[in-house]
Amino acid sequence: MYSEGKIKQDIIDRLLKLDEEAALSFDDPNTYYEMVLVGGGALVLIDKLSRATQDIDAIMYPKELNPFLEKYDINNNVLAYMNNFAPDYYDRRVPINIPSKKIKFFTASLEDIVIAKLFSNRPKDMQDIHNPDILNALDWNRLDEIVNSEDFKDGMLNDHQYIMFMYNSRDYKEEAMK
């Protein structure tokens, strides 16, 4: 069984190995890449979750890194769920301070990760976002601003999806405030 620090270190080690491989493969010293991580792995990296996670979910990265992702168990299937993120999520990304050379790693903001997990309705995701560390760290005003923005609503696939999300969001907030 992994200890809390070991889970996080495993993720960091995989990111640094990916970065090392990218540095060896792409020799232009003036070209840098960015990758934005979401999901459980991102929550581990920002010290809000300590459970083991099977993969690292990447929502934004350059196509040049595609050949390396599977090797480091970095999942890009999350791209199919881009509409679960507010259009301006990128503006709220949080840098991961690790000694990378070629790739600058970020996580989505805690609020954006919670929003994405509210869409999923998977028990594991619901358990994650009800974690006291997450509930206490959330900026509830920022969460409300994102959820209630026109850009967010416009990014939904359809009205039904938006209505279901709003119910989930309301229920989450009510449960958290108990």
Side-chain angles (χ1 to χ4, degrees), residues 34-155:
E34 288 187 6
M35 180 178 280
V36 179
L37 307 173
V38 297
L43 291 174
V44 169
L45 288 167
I46 61 173
D47 298 316
K48 301 299 176 221
L49 189 65
S50 59
R51 72 166 169 79
T53 183
Q54 296 296 335
D55 58 15
I56 302 168
D57 296 320
I59 196 166
M60 200 254 4
Y61 61 90
K63 67 181 182 329
E64 291 86 352
L65 297 178
N66 270 334
F68 311 117
L69 298 183
E70 187 175 337
K71 182 176 181 179
Y72 300 103
D73 208 7
I74 297 174
N75 176 14
N76 63 353
N77 294 336
V78 73
L79 294 174
Y81 303 100
M82 272 302 293
N83 62 315
N84 294 357
F85 291 85
D88 60 346
Y89 82 91
Y90 184 81
D91 298 336
R92 291 182 294 277
R93 71 194 190 288
V94 178
I96 301 169
N97 295 316
I98 58 176
S100 58
K101 300 171 188 160
K102 199 70 172 167
I103 305 170
K104 295 178 183 179
F105 295 100
F106 298 86
T107 67
S109 74
L110 179 59
E111 293 74 23
D112 287 303
I113 295 170
V114 165
I115 287 169
K117 285 183 172 280
L118 282 168
F119 273 104
S120 83
N121 277 328
R122 294 184 315 173
K124 178 176 68 170
D125 289 331
M126 292 300 109
Q127 182 181 356
D128 286 350
I129 64 175
H130 282 86
N131 178 312
D133 290 337
I134 290 174
L135 293 172
N136 292 328
L138 266 174
D139 181 333
W140 291 93
N141 291 328
R142 180 190 281 181
L143 185 71
D144 285 342
E145 286 173 19
I146 297 167
V147 167
N148 294 311
S149 74
E150 281 301 314
D151 286 342
F152 182 71
K153 182 178 180 184
D154 291 344

Side-chain angles (χ1 to χ4, degrees), residues 24-43:
L24 292 171
S25 299
F26 308 114
D27 35 341
D28 180 356
N30 298 317
T31 301
Y32 295 91
Y33 302 103
E34 288 187 6
M35 180 178 280
V36 179
L37 307 173
V38 297
L43 291 174

